[in-house]
Amino acid sequence: MASIALKTFTGLRQSSPENASIANLSKPLPKPHTCRRRVLRINASNSSPRVTGRNLRVAVIGGGPAGGCAAETLAKGGIETFLIERKMDNCKPCGGAIPLCMVGEFDLPLDIIDRRVTKMKMISPSNVAVDIGRTLKPHEYIGMVRREVLDAYLRDRAAAAGATVLNGLFLKMDLPKSPTVPYVLQYTAYGGAGAAGARQTLEVDAVIGADGANSRVAKSINAGDYEYAIAFQERIRIPDDKMKYYEDLAEMYVGDDVSPDFYGWVFPKCDHVAVGTGTVTHKPDIKKFQLATRIRAASKITGGKIIRVEAHPIPEHPRPRRVQDRVALVGDAAGYVTKCSGEGIYFAAKSGRMCAEAIVEGSENGKRMVDESDLRKYLEKWDKTYWPTYKVLDVLQKVFYRSNPAREAFVEMCADEYVQKMTFDSYLYKKVAPGNPIEDLKLAVNTIGSLVRANALRKEMDKLSV
């Protein structure tokens, strides 16, 4: 494990170029890290001009979990809020798994959750299956949702809170040349003006970009590029007897055949299963990997009918820049998808809410203008809270997704109950769970043993291939 070279984790905490630039805005203090902390904690709203004759206006671009939660929080906080979403019935090709903490934290109704997964199978390249979920408590589960249902619910809730929801395609925005001049947004409005839509403009004081991995808002502020995976998914309606098997079970397949750097999945939905895979390094081969995933799961999905085919980019790390002036990025637009698991729904919703909370606080509930320092408070809080989670999963992916023998070791390690407890506690409650020192030592020894066996297996396989 020590021999593996790890790249700098881009976009969070000390490695973020934007954090470094903020530190340089302040005059020298005794310690550099103290300088950074003090600058980010400035309460700029005290000196910011008051907004007269109206409340602060904010546009949220994108109506997924990030945009919906941001718009709701803004509207409840006294901000005049506009939410622009291009496709109201969007069926994003997403596995759809949400952690237990999201249900309570975001007050989600249970009827939008299709399935409560309490069992998982991790299946190795040689088809060794490990059952996961033995450590779950009776009330614990992973929720499975359809994005078209979840996203619509969050948008409707934002509208009920007072946000104006606009069906339109964001095109571009004119950047202001002074701190009090509004942003002028241009978008194509749909509905009532023919299929082609009509060009419209909107003036706002601040913008939240929640418009996904191909974010136009990110391009507008030169937020920088990032590596991305392509996710490919098929929704397959299978016979009732086979659907019974997946009633509360999800499967994850690892191996070079299904993905050289990610995993394949079969996740249960309301009346069908979602079968998919993803890759960063071999995007042109995605259909070949998808076929391999179907072949690996063939005995359990035979007789099924494909009812929908979906593909979508998934960010691999946060963008170099996530805030500029009065514009902030959240969710996939900011790059908040975890390595190893590819999870993004919770982090999208959470980042949208945190960003909106920073705007509400900095504007004193819409009474004052906000500036970049207000939005950077959201970044500081985000990085402090979630950097450990992203880093741990980044390391796990680099260690265990690099070869089939390493994946065999990973699946072997997943059979350990302590590993399962730590994994589920961290996933369900979105915190890096504190470990038991003795069990951690045992885990380290077992992990090294698994990797040694995996390396020996790789060498034997190399001999056979000569």
Side-chain angles (χ1 to χ4, degrees):
M1 187 181 302
S3 64
I4 298 172
L6 301 180
K7 295 188 295 184
T8 302
F9 193 64
T10 306
L12 295 177
R13 299 189 79 169
Q14 291 89 343
S15 62
S16 174
E18 61 190 12
N19 287 348
S21 65
I22 286 300
N24 292 333
L25 295 177
S26 183
K27 294 299 181 183
L29 290 172
K31 295 180 180 180
H33 70 272
T34 304
C35 169
R36 173 180 176 268
R37 185 178 297 275
R38 288 186 182 180
V39 171
L40 289 173
R41 287 186 176 177
I42 290 173
N43 188 351
S45 64
N46 290 336
S47 59
S48 296
R50 295 190 69 86
V51 179
T52 57
R54 60 175 177 82
N55 282 8
L56 190 78
R57 291 176 182 156
V58 177
V60 180
I61 313 301
C69 291
E72 180 193 11
T73 303
L74 290 170
K76 286 182 175 180
I79 308 295
E80 187 177 354
T81 307
F82 301 89
L83 173 61
I84 301 176
E85 167 57 34
R86 174 181 63 91
K87 198 173 181 182
M88 295 298 185
D89 61 347
N90 183 33
C91 300
K92 184 177 177 182
C94 170
I98 61 172
L100 181 63
C101 66
M102 185 174 180
V103 178
E105 187 177 344
F106 289 87
D107 195 23
L108 299 179
L110 296 181
D111 61 359
I112 71 170
I113 299 174
D114 286 342
R115 301 280 176 173
R116 300 186 186 188
V117 169
T118 57
K119 295 179 290 185
M120 293 188 71
K121 284 187 181 291
M122 178 70 73
I123 303 170
S124 78
S126 61
N127 281 326
V128 172
V130 168
D131 293 321
I132 302 175
R134 299 191 302 272
T135 63
L136 287 177
K137 299 179 179 64
H139 70 283
E140 292 180 332
Y141 63 89
I142 298 171
M144 290 291 170
V145 299
R146 284 166 290 159
R147 285 291 302 276
E148 60 270 29
V149 175
L150 174 66
D151 294 7
Y153 172 78
L154 294 175
R155 286 195 301 270
D156 290 346
R157 196 163 70 177
T164 300
V165 179
L166 304 172
N167 182 198
L169 172 63
F170 170 75
L171 301 173
K172 64 178 183 177
M173 62 183 175
D174 299 330
L175 303 180
K177 296 183 179 179
S178 76
T180 57
V181 171
Y183 289 84
V184 180
L185 277 56
Q186 299 185 32
Y187 69 99
T188 300
Y190 301 122
R199 191 83 166 240
Q200 301 283 348
T201 60
L202 177 67
E203 292 188 356
V204 294
D205 302 304
V207 179
I208 295 179
D211 50 339
N214 293 322
S215 170
R216 292 185 176 184
V217 176
K219 290 181 174 66
S220 297
I221 63 171
N222 295 317
D225 295 325
Y226 46 33
E227 290 183 347
Y228 67 93
I230 184 71
F232 190 96
Q233 177 174 276
E234 295 167 319
R235 300 193 190 200
I236 303 178
R237 185 168 288 127
I238 58 179
D240 290 344
D241 60 324
K242 295 185 182 297
M243 195 68 211
K244 185 70 176 176
Y245 172 79
Y246 287 109
E247 182 177 11
D248 57 357
L249 170 72
E251 292 180 326
M252 296 173 64
Y253 294 83
V254 292
D256 282 335
D257 57 334
V258 299
S259 176
D261 55 344
F262 205 60
Y263 64 89
W265 63 84
V266 181
F267 289 165
K269 302 293 184 177
C270 58
D271 60 353
H272 61 276
V273 291
V275 181
T277 186
T279 180
V280 177
T281 58
H282 291 67
K283 296 181 185 70
D285 295 326
I286 188 66
K287 289 187 177 181
K288 180 180 73 174
F289 300 140
Q290 177 67 11
L291 176 60
T293 304
R294 286 208 311 268
I295 291 172
R296 292 276 292 275
S299 63
K300 289 159 283 190
I301 63 174
T302 297
K305 178 183 178 183
I306 297 174
I307 58 176
R308 192 179 186 95
V309 178
E310 306 161 322
H312 196 77
I314 300 177
E316 280 290 288
H317 58 77
R319 289 187 189 271
R321 174 182 292 141
R322 291 167 284 156
V323 166
Q324 179 174 287
D325 297 331
R326 288 170 280 146
V327 180
L329 303 177
V330 295
D332 281 14
Y336 295 150
V337 177
T338 58
K339 290 287 189 74
C340 197
S341 66
E343 182 196 1
I345 296 177
Y346 173 82
F347 294 110
K350 187 69 173 179
S351 62
R353 176 179 283 183
M354 287 173 64
C355 182
E357 287 172 344
I359 292 175
V360 170
E361 180 182 354
S363 68
E364 297 180 358
N365 296 96
K367 303 306 179 186
R368 291 184 180 274
M369 182 63 67
V370 292
D371 60 24
E372 187 168 315
S373 67
D374 295 305
L375 298 182
R376 286 195 176 279
K377 291 176 184 176
Y378 134 68
L379 284 191
E380 181 190 39
K381 184 177 179 181
W382 176 269
D383 291 354
K384 181 179 180 181
T385 304
Y386 295 112
W387 183 86
T389 297
Y390 281 82
K391 189 60 181 178
V392 166
L393 292 173
D394 183 41
V395 171
L396 283 176
Q397 179 161 314
K398 287 181 170 68
V399 171
F400 290 110
Y401 282 17
R402 59 198 172 100
S403 67
N404 273 353
R407 295 183 188 101
E408 295 283 354
F410 179 55
V411 173
E412 178 184 326
M413 188 178 71
C414 288
D416 185 274
E417 285 200 11
Y418 178 67
V419 172
Q420 293 188 23
K421 183 178 187 308
M422 292 287 288
T423 300
F424 274 108
D425 285 352
S426 298
Y427 175 81
L428 293 177
Y429 303 107
K430 283 296 159 277
K431 295 179 181 177
V432 177
N436 178 303
I438 295 177
E439 292 297 328
D440 285 343
L441 180 59
K442 290 180 181 177
L443 176 59
V445 172
N446 290 338
T447 301
I448 292 171
S450 295
L451 289 171
V452 168
R453 287 192 295 276
N455 190 53
L457 175 60
R458 180 183 62 78
K459 290 180 178 178
E460 292 300 319
M461 292 173 66
D462 289 344
K463 290 179 183 178
L464 292 174
S465 63
V466 174

